[in-house]
Amino acid sequence: MPHFTVVPVEDCAQTNYDSLEGINWVDYRDTGQGGFPGHQDTVSSDGQGNHKEDSPFLNSADAAKNNDFYDRNLALFEEELDIRPKVSSLLSRLVNYTNITQGAKEHEEEESAASRRKAPKSPNMGTLMGVYLPCLQNIFGVILFLRLTWIVGTAGVVQSFLIVLMCCSCTMLTAISMSAIATNGVVPAGGAYFMISRSLGPEFGGAVGLCFYLGTTFAAAMYILGAIEIFLKYLLPQAAIFHADPHGGGGAMLNNMRVYGTICLSLMAVVVFVGVKYVNKLASLFLACVVISIVSIYAGAIKSITHPPPFTVCMLGNRTLVRSLFDVCAKTVVVGNDTEPSQLWKKFCSPGNISSSQCDEYFIQNNVTEIQGIPGLASGIIRDNMWGDYLQKGEILEKAGLASADVHGAMESFGMYVSADIATSFTLLVGIFFPSATGIMAGSNRSGDLRDAQKSIPVGTILAITTTSLVYFSSVVLFGACIEGVVLRDKFGDAVSKNLVVGTLSWPSPWVIVIGSFFSTVGAGLQSLTGAPRLLQAIAKDNIIPFLRVFGHGKANGEPTWALLLTGLIAELGILIASLDMVAPILSMFFLMCYLFVNLACAVQTLLRTPNWRPRFRYYHWALSFLGMSMCLALMFISSWYYAIVAMCIAGMIYKYIEYQGAEKEWGDGIRGLSLSGARYALLRLEVGPPHTKNWRPQLLVLLKLDEDLHVKYPRLLTFASQLKAGKGLTIVGSVIQGNFLDSYGETQAAEQAIKNMMEIERVKGFCQVVVASKVRDGVTHLIQSCGLGGMKHNTVVMGWPYGWRQSEDPRAWKTFINTVRCTTAAHLALMVPKNVSFYPSNHERFIDGNIDVWWIVHDGGMLMLLPFLLKQHKVWRKCKMRIFTVAQMDDNSIQMKKDLATFLYQLRIEAEVEVVEMHDSDISAYTYERTLMMEQRSQMLRQMRLSSAERDREAQLVKDRHSLVRMGSLYSDEEEEVVEPPPEKVQMTWTKEKCEAERRNKAHAPENFRELISLKPDQSNVRRMHTAVKLNEVIVNKSHDARLVLLNMPGPPRNTDGDENYMEFLEVLTEGLERVLLVRGGGREVITIYS
């Protein structure tokens, strides 16, 4: 631990200062640390340990009146103390930290209220009581007592050793990864779920949290089934409700398990509902039962060296007989001087005397022998038990060394033999044993109660796994060395008079194991039923899975009532399965899934080297985490490949559900870091060069206009973008706010949020960028230049048409529009202008017929061909047909052009109708001439109106300051048009001789200006352009008046900026009479190719 020393700073000029240690009593006043009566400071407490600065500003009268502490020492930082608190304030908050689940706002408020009433109880549990013993209790369980002997007998000592080694290695590697995560900062209550969700993000966290919850719930079902098996098989067999017929299977036993299991589950749920504190108090008793049972096994094994337990096994030939069905292990018994048939004889033979009765052929030809069931540690039986003996369902248990006649025997006698109830294999045994290795999360789940969690969790968990692993390894060896093979393979102890097999080895009595294992399984079931609802409540409180919100509520004291109800219902499903051997692999899957992601979280954090990854536990490595992850995955498929696929599908569906429907959470997770790392790598790869023509697709920059309330003015622009992109490629939505960035930051955030909301409504997947600029055209230019990153930059700009530009006296709208067209051309970007965008279809509409008409007038890189094809990928435009029109002049061969165009489209793999429109040379009509004249007269009139307005403003300015000089050139400059001037102040005008002469001149010029408008002759180049626009418009309207969409080459703006207004008029004339028009300009490169 680093040591800190506080050094007081003396201040000679301050006489009423005792020392700088006043910081301490200022911040800790409410905890009783120091302080003088009457001494005040500008720091106060809100009663929750959260200190706040009341008067952090230099000009505060109170601060100056009370003391000048801040003036002397923190004057440089005073104005920010409300958002950047003093270090002492921060440390006091960290000291008073309470471990509660993050994201549970109600809990935080409840804790805050409680802290006002009483001081929080400090966590005081050490490594032994807080981590080691709880882990032991959770790891040791029902499998050790009910199935480990059967696993050793079936798989043999060597393969059983391998099974234990695989499972324990997996959990040890997971514990190492978990220790690294748990010591990387404070882990509040929530345990494994909290660690995974904060390391891998809400999607993985929710998926794995629910898997962990399901695993814990099925563990409760498994423990209850184990307890009922002990109860019905070994404690009170007479309590069975259903009884099997002699030749039947185990159906009656399964029904008994279902009935009693349901009753037991209901009772346990009531106990948990009434009070969890009773469960926690009984935990020590249940742990004591486990420890005593294990010790009795070791004691019995040692005692068996000299005094083996008196359990014998009756064998007919080499077949094992069910010992509880007869009294004497012999064919005949001597009663007085007579030899009479034994009970065993009567089971195999028909009624009658020994000579005349009809007997089973196998019974007649084989002898009945008795062998020692527990030969003892010194017998050398381990040599026979070294290798496995896997059986099929219904196969009789046989001892290899005994002589046996090769006769099948009658089926009626099958019930006399001990047989396998299920088919066994190595993979099945792995799935059944693995739950014995789970429970390693018990320490991290109690992190809130630990005195030093970052030390106790690694030490306690790893020690617990080491201890349990040693017990399992030694148990495998002891069972193989002490117990006869046929007894080991006898799952329910039928060969030893229905005793629990592990109980036959224990000392002083088999009842020690039976009673101890019963209580330990009941206790483990209660612990699972207690923990699972709390885990579900933690997930629900985090609000990442919407449909689970109801399970976040509970009783007034926070007990998860609804979560307990759901847990009981899911556990009941496990109870209805009724077979311990079938439930165990299910919960193995869910726990293995959880452990896999713990290892993944550690590996991802280590490899990414995130700055916050600084675990106190040093003995971890990404290779160990990957090895643990691989082992988890391998064990999942080894134990049950179909269960593994089902578990992964469940986790995958939960992941996708959270991704699409869940709440947005930013937890600084590793997957986000992985995404950033992958994005950086991909962007660097994209920097190599521009994309090939085959890979070109429109990467859009959509320029939106916002209204005064910061709402999107034309949302159909976004609709069009989503239809064009269909979720592919890059889309950046940009907007400009006019003003000063320092004053408009909040407005920028609100605008971004409004645009993001509209993007979500219109299903546009992309990014949003809002810039603040003094002039709109500058902001648009900045967006065009700077949007995107590296190779992920836009290549196409989409912007709306400036509606109402003719009616407006303010020329800024159309000047900004034309400036944007020029900027895109200069940047070699494509441009799309949807005209009449409000008439464009929404995403919910469908065009069941109609045409998309392309008017290919000049070749502009192939954009006109590609855009209809991309639009037709969307369901709105899918049924539309594509038509391509091109214009032929007098000297063109229109027939050959049509053939060539059809061939070109065939090679492009684009289906479209082709038509060549011939445009004959014709004289300029009077309509065209008049239209051009009206356009130029209007432009001249608006220019004079703006001139007179500027003159008035200039005269007012001259009166205010006679020495200011205004250049005549600035009267028409963009600066005057862009900047909205405040209205001039009312001034007392003083008329001078110069002023009077200027006024007379203006009045004399007015009739002259009017005469100029009347006698104006249009410019010949404008007449020619207007002629082209009118003729093209006539042809387009004639052919495409009923088209769903018309795509058209957009002519470029004139090089001379004086003709900008005329350019707008030409575009209006060109598109008149068309409902939906998309004006398209290429970016100066080919975007479509005939080559593969």
Side-chain angles (χ1 to χ4, degrees), residues 282-352:
L282 291 172
S284 302
L285 173 65
F286 297 141
L287 179 61
C289 292
V290 175
V291 173
I292 291 169
S293 301
I294 293 171
V295 169
S296 73
I297 294 171
Y298 285 105
I302 294 168
K303 182 176 177 290
S304 71
I305 299 174
T306 55
H307 298 86
F311 288 100
T312 58
V313 180
C314 190
M315 308 291 296
L316 178 61
N318 64 352
R319 296 181 180 178
T320 311
L321 295 171
V322 178
R323 194 67 181 82
S324 60
L325 296 178
F326 54 90
D327 50 0
V328 180
C329 183
K331 291 185 178 182
T332 58
V333 290
V334 178
V335 179
N337 293 326
D338 297 330
T339 301
E340 294 185 0
S342 64
Q343 282 187 4
L344 184 61
W345 181 285
K346 294 173 183 175
K347 296 285 184 182
F348 282 95
C349 301
S350 59

Side-chain angles (χ1 to χ4, degrees), residues 511-524:
W511 289 102
V512 175
I513 290 280
V514 173
I515 295 172
S517 60
F518 178 76
F519 280 112
S520 71
T521 49
V522 169

Side-chain angles (χ1 to χ4, degrees), residues 712 715 718 753-764:
V712 178
L718 291 175
Q753 193 56 50
I755 292 174
K756 285 178 181 175
N757 293 340
M758 187 55 67
M759 289 171 68
E760 193 172 338
I761 292 169
E762 298 295 341
R763 297 178 184 174
V764 176

Side-chain angles (χ1 to χ4, degrees), residues 145-146 149 230-231 233-236 289-290 292-301 303 307-312 374 483 487 492-493 496-520:
F145 303 116
L146 292 184
T149 53
I230 294 169
F231 177 74
K233 288 280 187 181
Y234 312 113
L235 276 175
L236 200 64
C289 292
V290 175
I292 291 169
S293 301
I294 293 171
V295 169
S296 73
I297 294 171
Y298 285 105
K303 182 176 177 290
H307 298 86
F311 288 100
T312 58
I374 314 291
I483 304 175
V487 179
F492 302 112
V496 284
S497 303
K498 292 195 179 297
N499 278 297
L500 184 60
V501 174
V502 70
T504 59
L505 180 63
S506 64
W507 179 86
S509 167
W511 289 102
V512 175
I513 290 280
V514 173
I515 295 172
S517 60
F518 178 76
F519 280 112
S520 71

Side-chain angles (χ1 to χ4, degrees), residues 9 23 48 52 87 156 202 287 351 381 471 558 567 655 784 820 908 916:
V9 179
I23 289 177
Q48 303 176 33
K52 58 176 186 252
V87 174
L287 179 61
I381 194 71
V471 169
T567 303
Y655 178 94
I784 291 172
T820 308
L908 287 176
V916 177

Side-chain angles (χ1 to χ4, degrees), residues 806 835 927 931 1033 1037 1065 1067-1074:
R806 282 172 168 163
K835 198 161 180 284
Y927 170 76
R931 188 84 186 249
N1033 179 255
V1037 171
E1065 189 70 34
L1067 292 181
E1068 286 282 11
V1069 171
L1070 185 62
T1071 57
E1072 265 181 356
L1074 299 171

Side-chain angles (χ1 to χ4, degrees), residues 235-311:
L235 276 175
L236 200 64
Q238 301 83 4
I241 300 170
F242 305 96
H243 299 279
D245 60 311
H247 307 293
M253 182 61 188
L254 294 180
N255 289 331
N256 287 323
M257 300 274 279
R258 291 182 182 114
V259 172
Y260 280 102
T262 304
I263 295 170
C264 185
L265 174 63
S266 304
L267 291 174
M268 285 185 176
V270 169
V271 171
V272 172
F273 178 76
V274 169
V276 179
K277 56 184 179 181
Y278 303 115
V279 178
N280 294 331
K281 285 179 180 177
L282 291 172
S284 302
L285 173 65
F286 297 141
L287 179 61
C289 292
V290 175
V291 173
I292 291 169
S293 301
I294 293 171
V295 169
S296 73
I297 294 171
Y298 285 105
I302 294 168
K303 182 176 177 290
S304 71
I305 299 174
T306 55
H307 298 86
F311 288 100

